[in-house]
Amino acid sequence: SDGSPACMRGDADWYTREVINSIEKSGVAEMYGIGIMDENVVRLYKHHEVINDASELESAVLNVIKRKVINS
């Protein structure tokens, strides 16, 4: 997801949430949402971060990894 799911038919928001929840519950993978000037990741992903500019992306990814390693 780009953080703001949309489609012509159906409920893309509901479907995206269901897919994220299913993956998280399965334990197969961990999901992290990073929104760039978009706060939709807050309502979709359990673990998320919002940044204001794409130039902050590298730092945001490193912060996600650091939190995972330190909190494990």
Side-chain angles (χ1 to χ4, degrees):
S1 166
D2 66 357
S4 189
C7 69
M8 299 301 282
R9 300 182 297 159
D11 187 348
D13 191 72
W14 174 85
Y15 180 75
T16 302
R17 254 188 257 221
E18 287 297 308
V19 170
I20 291 168
N21 289 335
S22 176
I23 292 170
E24 287 178 340
K25 286 179 185 176
S26 74
V28 172
E30 294 181 17
M31 304 285 290
Y32 297 87
I34 298 175
I36 303 172
M37 295 178 58
D38 189 325
E39 295 191 8
N40 283 298
V41 294
V42 173
R43 63 185 176 77
L44 293 170
Y45 296 87
K46 182 177 175 182
H47 305 286
H48 56 269
E49 186 164 338
V50 177
I51 59 177
N52 295 316
D53 189 85
S55 66
E56 300 171 17
L57 186 57
E58 181 180 354
S59 176
V61 170
L62 291 173
N63 285 338
V64 166
I65 294 168
K66 189 185 326 180
R67 281 195 307 265
K68 176 59 185 163
V69 171
I70 291 171
N71 293 330
S72 291

